[in-house]
Amino acid sequence: MTHHAIREPQALRTLHYIHTAALLSPSPTVSSNLLEGAVRIKEKHQIRTTPDLKRGMCSRCKLPLVGGVTSRVRVRRNCGGQLSRNVTCGGCDTTRRYPVVKDSKELKIERAPVHHLT
């Protein structure tokens, strides 16, 4: 097993499944409970999560961050003129800043799909 090999592939699949279920859950409390469980699984198996899982959850209140629904996303320039993506949680107003590379897909701010009930 190499240094970068995943120790528990089943645990990683479970993390992705829980994250997807939390994003699709209509209840914020259910979503928060699911993501807290995902954090416990990550810590138990000592798994380094991918950036999309880390950035998709508020580190303070464990609310899933969906642009335009549970969070506010802004792209701003910092003092050095570099772009940064500012994500503000809608539950606890915690702000996180992530650097944006111009050629990256992160410039496209993802918003939650709008489902029309007919």
Side-chain angles (χ1 to χ4, degrees), residues 24-53:
L24 296 176
S25 174
S27 170
T29 55
V30 172
S31 298
S32 295
N33 288 338
L34 285 171
L35 290 176
E36 285 176 7
V39 168
R40 284 194 298 271
I41 290 171
K42 177 188 80 74
E43 290 171 352
K44 178 181 177 183
H45 294 287
Q46 298 177 354
I47 297 174
R48 294 186 71 179
T49 56
T50 58
D52 61 330
L53 288 178

Tab-separated table of all heavy atoms in Angstrom, residues 24-53:
chain	number	residue	atom	x	y	z
A	24	LEU	N	-29.551	16.861	-0.286
A	24	LEU	CA	-30.901	16.655	-0.808
A	24	LEU	C	-31.982	16.718	0.262
A	24	LEU	O	-33.160	16.781	-0.063
A	24	LEU	CB	-30.973	15.309	-1.529
A	24	LEU	CG	-30.105	15.177	-2.773
A	24	LEU	CD1	-30.187	13.768	-3.338
A	24	LEU	CD2	-30.509	16.192	-3.818
A	25	SER	N	-31.585	16.713	1.528
A	25	SER	CA	-32.557	16.724	2.618
A	25	SER	C	-33.222	18.094	2.729
A	25	SER	O	-32.548	19.118	2.739
A	25	SER	CB	-31.872	16.374	3.925
A	25	SER	OG	-32.768	16.520	4.996
A	26	PRO	N	-34.549	18.135	2.842
A	26	PRO	CA	-35.226	19.431	2.960
A	26	PRO	C	-35.111	20.053	4.352
A	26	PRO	O	-35.309	21.238	4.521
A	26	PRO	CB	-36.681	19.103	2.627
A	26	PRO	CG	-36.825	17.670	2.969
A	26	PRO	CD	-35.482	17.029	2.726
A	27	SER	N	-34.767	19.263	5.353
A	27	SER	CA	-34.711	19.750	6.729
A	27	SER	C	-33.273	20.111	7.119
A	27	SER	O	-32.371	19.282	6.989
A	27	SER	CB	-35.230	18.677	7.680
A	27	SER	OG	-34.983	19.043	9.017
A	28	PRO	N	-33.033	21.327	7.610
A	28	PRO	CA	-31.682	21.703	8.027
A	28	PRO	C	-31.170	20.882	9.207
A	28	PRO	O	-29.983	20.585	9.288
A	28	PRO	CB	-31.804	23.174	8.422
A	28	PRO	CG	-33.088	23.642	7.889
A	28	PRO	CD	-33.955	22.442	7.689
A	29	THR	N	-32.059	20.482	10.124
A	29	THR	CA	-31.590	19.704	11.268
A	29	THR	C	-31.163	18.299	10.847
A	29	THR	O	-30.161	17.782	11.351
A	29	THR	CB	-32.689	19.609	12.345
A	29	THR	OG1	-33.873	19.070	11.764
A	29	THR	CG2	-32.989	20.967	12.939
A	30	VAL	N	-31.899	17.700	9.925
A	30	VAL	CA	-31.505	16.374	9.423
A	30	VAL	C	-30.168	16.474	8.684
A	30	VAL	O	-29.287	15.633	8.859
A	30	VAL	CB	-32.607	15.789	8.508
A	30	VAL	CG1	-32.132	14.520	7.827
A	30	VAL	CG2	-33.867	15.518	9.299
A	31	SER	N	-30.008	17.521	7.878
A	31	SER	CA	-28.756	17.723	7.146
A	31	SER	C	-27.583	17.891	8.095
A	31	SER	O	-26.511	17.306	7.894
A	31	SER	CB	-28.856	18.946	6.249
A	31	SER	OG	-29.858	18.774	5.294
A	32	SER	N	-27.769	18.688	9.142
A	32	SER	CA	-26.697	18.906	10.112
A	32	SER	C	-26.333	17.614	10.830
A	32	SER	O	-25.153	17.317	11.031
A	32	SER	CB	-27.105	19.960	11.138
A	32	SER	OG	-27.262	21.200	10.525
A	33	ASN	N	-27.341	16.816	11.203
A	33	ASN	CA	-27.069	15.543	11.878
A	33	ASN	C	-26.328	14.580	10.961
A	33	ASN	O	-25.422	13.868	11.405
A	33	ASN	CB	-28.373	14.908	12.358
A	33	ASN	CG	-28.968	15.654	13.527
A	33	ASN	OD1	-28.268	16.371	14.245
A	33	ASN	ND2	-30.268	15.512	13.720
A	34	LEU	N	-26.709	14.549	9.688
A	34	LEU	CA	-26.010	13.681	8.740
A	34	LEU	C	-24.549	14.092	8.590
A	34	LEU	O	-23.643	13.251	8.583
A	34	LEU	CB	-26.705	13.715	7.374
A	34	LEU	CG	-28.019	12.946	7.253
A	34	LEU	CD1	-28.688	13.265	5.933
A	34	LEU	CD2	-27.775	11.464	7.378
A	35	LEU	N	-24.302	15.392	8.479
A	35	LEU	CA	-22.930	15.859	8.300
A	35	LEU	C	-22.091	15.685	9.562
A	35	LEU	O	-20.881	15.437	9.474
A	35	LEU	CB	-22.922	17.315	7.837
A	35	LEU	CG	-23.427	17.508	6.411
A	35	LEU	CD1	-23.471	18.983	6.057
A	35	LEU	CD2	-22.563	16.757	5.423
A	36	GLU	N	-22.698	15.793	10.733
A	36	GLU	CA	-21.961	15.499	11.964
A	36	GLU	C	-21.555	14.029	12.002
A	36	GLU	O	-20.455	13.692	12.441
A	36	GLU	CB	-22.803	15.853	13.187
A	36	GLU	CG	-22.888	17.339	13.442
A	36	GLU	CD	-23.817	17.688	14.595
A	36	GLU	OE1	-24.294	16.760	15.294
A	36	GLU	OE2	-24.059	18.882	14.787
A	37	GLY	N	-22.437	13.150	11.536
A	37	GLY	CA	-22.093	11.734	11.440
A	37	GLY	C	-20.973	11.492	10.450
A	37	GLY	O	-20.092	10.649	10.680
A	38	ALA	N	-20.972	12.245	9.346
A	38	ALA	CA	-19.896	12.110	8.363
A	38	ALA	C	-18.558	12.535	8.957
A	38	ALA	O	-17.528	11.912	8.693
A	38	ALA	CB	-20.215	12.948	7.124
A	39	VAL	N	-18.567	13.577	9.786
A	39	VAL	CA	-17.335	14.028	10.428
A	39	VAL	C	-16.822	12.957	11.384
A	39	VAL	O	-15.618	12.688	11.454
A	39	VAL	CB	-17.565	15.370	11.161
A	39	VAL	CG1	-16.394	15.719	12.062
A	39	VAL	CG2	-17.802	16.475	10.156
A	40	ARG	N	-17.724	12.304	12.112
A	40	ARG	CA	-17.307	11.231	13.026
A	40	ARG	C	-16.697	10.058	12.261
A	40	ARG	O	-15.698	9.474	12.687
A	40	ARG	CB	-18.486	10.773	13.865
A	40	ARG	CG	-18.840	11.740	14.974
A	40	ARG	CD	-19.776	11.115	15.985
A	40	ARG	NE	-21.056	10.728	15.411
A	40	ARG	CZ	-22.123	11.520	15.339
A	40	ARG	NH1	-22.062	12.739	15.795
A	40	ARG	NH2	-23.240	11.083	14.802
A	41	ILE	N	-17.287	9.705	11.115
A	41	ILE	CA	-16.738	8.613	10.291
A	41	ILE	C	-15.356	8.998	9.778
A	41	ILE	O	-14.421	8.193	9.805
A	41	ILE	CB	-17.685	8.282	9.124
A	41	ILE	CG1	-18.953	7.629	9.651
A	41	ILE	CG2	-17.009	7.377	8.103
A	41	ILE	CD1	-20.029	7.455	8.609
A	42	LYS	N	-15.219	10.244	9.335
A	42	LYS	CA	-13.928	10.724	8.819
A	42	LYS	C	-12.855	10.657	9.899
A	42	LYS	O	-11.735	10.216	9.649
A	42	LYS	CB	-14.082	12.147	8.310
A	42	LYS	CG	-12.800	12.774	7.817
A	42	LYS	CD	-12.985	14.228	7.504
A	42	LYS	CE	-12.958	15.090	8.723
A	42	LYS	NZ	-11.684	15.320	9.331
A	43	GLU	N	-13.191	11.069	11.103
A	43	GLU	CA	-12.214	11.052	12.185
A	43	GLU	C	-11.893	9.628	12.632
A	43	GLU	O	-10.743	9.324	12.958
A	43	GLU	CB	-12.725	11.875	13.360
A	43	GLU	CG	-12.755	13.360	13.059
A	43	GLU	CD	-13.452	14.169	14.132
A	43	GLU	OE1	-14.057	13.569	15.060
A	43	GLU	OE2	-13.405	15.410	14.038
A	44	LYS	N	-12.887	8.754	12.645
A	44	LYS	CA	-12.668	7.384	13.088
A	44	LYS	C	-11.713	6.646	12.155
A	44	LYS	O	-10.818	5.930	12.599
A	44	LYS	CB	-13.998	6.634	13.161
A	44	LYS	CG	-13.846	5.190	13.566
A	44	LYS	CD	-15.176	4.494	13.604
A	44	LYS	CE	-14.980	3.029	13.953
A	44	LYS	NZ	-16.232	2.294	13.943
A	45	HIS	N	-11.898	6.832	10.850
A	45	HIS	CA	-11.078	6.120	9.872
A	45	HIS	C	-9.862	6.925	9.417
A	45	HIS	O	-9.128	6.468	8.546
A	45	HIS	CB	-11.927	5.730	8.660
A	45	HIS	CG	-12.976	4.722	8.992
A	45	HIS	ND1	-12.692	3.415	9.247
A	45	HIS	CD2	-14.322	4.851	9.136
A	45	HIS	CE1	-13.801	2.759	9.516
A	45	HIS	NE2	-14.808	3.607	9.456
A	46	GLN	N	-9.671	8.108	9.974
A	46	GLN	CA	-8.547	8.987	9.649
A	46	GLN	C	-8.443	9.225	8.143
A	46	GLN	O	-7.408	8.997	7.519
A	46	GLN	CB	-7.241	8.417	10.193
A	46	GLN	CG	-7.232	8.300	11.685
A	46	GLN	CD	-5.973	7.682	12.215
A	46	GLN	OE1	-5.128	7.233	11.457
A	46	GLN	NE2	-5.844	7.652	13.522
A	47	ILE	N	-9.541	9.687	7.572
A	47	ILE	CA	-9.624	9.935	6.137
A	47	ILE	C	-9.482	11.422	5.890
A	47	ILE	O	-10.116	12.236	6.560
A	47	ILE	CB	-10.974	9.449	5.569
A	47	ILE	CG1	-11.094	7.946	5.736
A	47	ILE	CG2	-11.120	9.837	4.109
A	47	ILE	CD1	-12.448	7.413	5.342
A	48	ARG	N	-8.647	11.778	4.936
A	48	ARG	CA	-8.565	13.176	4.499
A	48	ARG	C	-9.647	13.374	3.453
A	48	ARG	O	-9.648	12.733	2.411
A	48	ARG	CB	-7.194	13.475	3.913
A	48	ARG	CG	-6.100	13.394	4.942
A	48	ARG	CD	-4.810	13.826	4.362
A	48	ARG	NE	-4.875	15.277	4.148
A	48	ARG	CZ	-3.886	15.985	3.662
A	48	ARG	NH1	-2.763	15.397	3.309
A	48	ARG	NH2	-4.004	17.284	3.517
A	49	THR	N	-10.566	14.268	3.739
A	49	THR	CA	-11.677	14.472	2.824
A	49	THR	C	-11.263	15.355	1.652
A	49	THR	O	-10.314	16.124	1.732
A	49	THR	CB	-12.872	15.112	3.545
A	49	THR	OG1	-12.442	16.325	4.151
A	49	THR	CG2	-13.430	14.192	4.589
A	50	THR	N	-12.011	15.243	0.589
A	50	THR	CA	-11.746	16.038	-0.604
A	50	THR	C	-12.208	17.474	-0.367
A	50	THR	O	-13.070	17.725	0.486
A	50	THR	CB	-12.490	15.440	-1.814
A	50	THR	OG1	-13.878	15.397	-1.503
A	50	THR	CG2	-11.988	14.046	-2.130
A	51	PRO	N	-11.668	18.446	-1.105
A	51	PRO	CA	-12.058	19.842	-0.903
A	51	PRO	C	-13.551	20.102	-1.098
A	51	PRO	O	-14.119	20.932	-0.402
A	51	PRO	CB	-11.236	20.600	-1.942
A	51	PRO	CG	-10.050	19.758	-2.175
A	51	PRO	CD	-10.532	18.346	-2.024
A	52	ASP	N	-14.202	19.377	-2.006
A	52	ASP	CA	-15.631	19.631	-2.201
A	52	ASP	C	-16.449	19.209	-0.981
A	52	ASP	O	-17.459	19.838	-0.662
A	52	ASP	CB	-16.147	18.948	-3.466
A	52	ASP	CG	-16.004	17.437	-3.430
A	52	ASP	OD1	-15.067	16.953	-2.784
A	52	ASP	OD2	-16.820	16.755	-4.075
A	53	LEU	N	-16.022	18.167	-0.269
A	53	LEU	CA	-16.716	17.783	0.954
A	53	LEU	C	-16.431	18.782	2.077
A	53	LEU	O	-17.319	19.140	2.845
A	53	LEU	CB	-16.296	16.385	1.403
A	53	LEU	CG	-16.810	15.224	0.574
A	53	LEU	CD1	-16.266	13.918	1.109
A	53	LEU	CD2	-18.312	15.194	0.574
